[in-house]
Amino acid sequence: MSADWKQIVSSAAGARLPLGSAATLPASAYTDPGLYEVESERLFAGQWLCAGRVEQVAEPGDYVTLDLLGDALVVVRGKDGTVRVLSRACRHRGAEVVNGTGNARSFQCPYHAWTYGLDGALIGAPHMDEAEGFDKASCALPEIRSEVWEGWIFVNFDGAAEPLGPQLAPLADLLQGYEMSSHIALDVATFDSPFNWKVLVDNFMEAYHHIAIHRQTLEPVMPGADSWTPDNEGPYSVLVMPAKEDDSDAESVYLAGDNGLVAAVVYPFHLFAPGPHGVAWYQLLPEAHDRFTLKIFMCHRPEIVNDPAQRETVEGGHALVTHIHHEDIAACEGTWAGLNARSYTQGRLAPLEKPLWQFNQWWLDRMTALD
């Protein structure tokens, strides 16, 4: 039986303490199905969520589809060059008008051939001329509010939400040297993830676990003890992982390099990690309290993507990112099993887990905002 979500939030008082004394969120904040439903309304529905990248829809007619918060969406570049995010549920009886990725001049429902322009306008509805008072203009595919930040396309289901750009201005300034908006995303791998979405966010945003989970991969080149986190000035956290100066491991240098690696999260779950050789992007698509789909991409500068001589280096980097995530899967699945154990309730945060503490403050603020 689901616990009362307000009781769960109130039991997280220890997470409000200063970092040096703070506890984790209680296990039920991860495992309770009812609380996840509240998260969907309080954390997800009114927040800016990543739907893709602009280069995925580079030309007029290019489109990519996704399912986000139970909504079937299509990201498309119109004939006017504008990137839009539309519902892909036909306004007739709800059949999906398009799936997958590709390029199209219009979207035609496979059920009854209702046809929509790339801007969502209904341009054809067979045999509907006999329907009394039928108005094509009122049957456009709904457009979801969207905004582009550093090349990523974000959507927000709340028309009254604050714009994203100003909220992330300090983060953009901090990471401006990476020029992320000019990168091109390449698909690396997709994972069905049978655990709570916050388990992955927690894992992504701390290097404390390098000493164990990544002892032979990341720890030798980016010691977790050297990581640090600046104060945040908006809905995000940043983790800086300096490279070990005397490292010479070529494979690991792909992730570390002379300048190390930065991990970042735009709350609630837009995860990315820029480094000198590219940007790892984790697109997280929650489905329930105990599962989500994860799509991993690597974003590279155009000159890298378009240079055949760089192909082996790029592929090697993608293989390494996949290997690192397989190591993290073991950690996440082990954590999920422990969170569901009867005897586990709540732990203590380590000083190296400042990004988790920052996220927990935001989580608690959002979960209590309307009370």
Side-chain angles (χ1 to χ4, degrees), residues 88-136:
R88 65 177 198 272
C90 181
R91 294 300 304 278
H92 175 214
R93 281 169 54 191
E96 295 179 350
V97 301
V98 63
N99 274 292
T101 62
N103 183 278
R105 295 182 178 180
S106 61
F107 300 130
Q108 186 174 83
C109 178
Y111 200 178
H112 298 95
W114 283 34
T115 304
Y116 301 87
L118 300 180
D119 60 355
L122 179 63
I123 57 178
H127 308 302
M128 289 299 293
D129 53 325
E130 298 177 5
E132 184 176 346
F134 179 71
D135 178 24
K136 287 183 181 178

Side-chain angles (χ1 to χ4, degrees), residues 189-209:
T190 298
F191 296 91
D192 294 323
S193 306
F195 41 89
N196 184 262
W197 65 278
K198 293 190 294 297
V199 171
L200 180 64
V201 173
D202 290 348
N203 176 268
F204 193 89
M205 290 306 301
E206 54 94 348
Y208 185 26
H209 71 284

Side-chain angles (χ1 to χ4, degrees), residues 165-185:
Q167 299 182 61
L168 299 185
L171 180 59
D173 289 343
L174 183 66
L175 302 178
Q176 61 180 325
Y178 291 103
E179 299 179 346
M180 295 183 293
S181 61
S182 66
H183 284 50
I184 296 174

Side-chain angles (χ1 to χ4, degrees), residues 69-267:
L69 304 191
D71 209 341
L73 305 178
V74 56
V75 181
V76 58
R77 187 177 293 272
K79 295 177 181 178
D80 58 358
T82 300
V83 175
R84 297 177 176 87
V85 181
L86 307 173
S87 168
R88 65 177 198 272
C90 181
R91 294 300 304 278
H92 175 214
R93 281 169 54 191
E96 295 179 350
V97 301
V98 63
N99 274 292
T101 62
N103 183 278
R105 295 182 178 180
S106 61
F107 300 130
Q108 186 174 83
C109 178
Y111 200 178
H112 298 95
W114 283 34
T115 304
Y116 301 87
L118 300 180
D119 60 355
L122 179 63
I123 57 178
H127 308 302
M128 289 299 293
D129 53 325
E130 298 177 5
E132 184 176 346
F134 179 71
D135 178 24
K136 287 183 181 178
S138 66
C139 294
L141 296 175
E143 180 175 356
I144 314 302
R145 184 181 174 194
S146 63
E147 188 173 326
V148 175
W149 181 80
E150 293 295 328
W152 281 289
I153 304 163
F154 284 80
V155 297
N156 197 310
F157 293 93
D158 181 0
E162 294 293 323
L164 179 65
Q167 299 182 61
L168 299 185
L171 180 59
D173 289 343
L174 183 66
L175 302 178
Q176 61 180 325
Y178 291 103
E179 299 179 346
M180 295 183 293
S181 61
S182 66
H183 284 50
I184 296 174
L186 301 180
D187 193 352
V188 173
T190 298
F191 296 91
D192 294 323
S193 306
F195 41 89
N196 184 262
W197 65 278
K198 293 190 294 297
V199 171
L200 180 64
V201 173
D202 290 348
N203 176 268
F204 193 89
M205 290 306 301
E206 54 94 348
Y208 185 26
H209 71 284
H210 286 193
I211 60 175
I213 295 298
H214 304 310
R215 65 169 60 92
Q216 294 180 336
T217 49
L218 297 183
E219 177 66 13
V221 294
M222 288 181 292
D226 294 340
S227 65
W228 57 277
T229 294
D231 292 337
N232 55 346
E233 302 178 57
Y236 62 84
S237 290
V238 172
L239 174 70
V240 181
M241 294 169 281
K244 191 173 182 179
E245 293 181 357
D246 60 353
D247 177 74
S248 60
D249 185 328
E251 282 193 339
S252 295
V253 164
Y254 180 87
L255 280 181
D258 295 336
N259 297 319
L261 187 68
V262 173
V265 55
V266 174
Y267 305 148

Side-chain angles (χ1 to χ4, degrees), residues 4 120 186 306:
D4 182 273
L186 301 180
N306 297 324

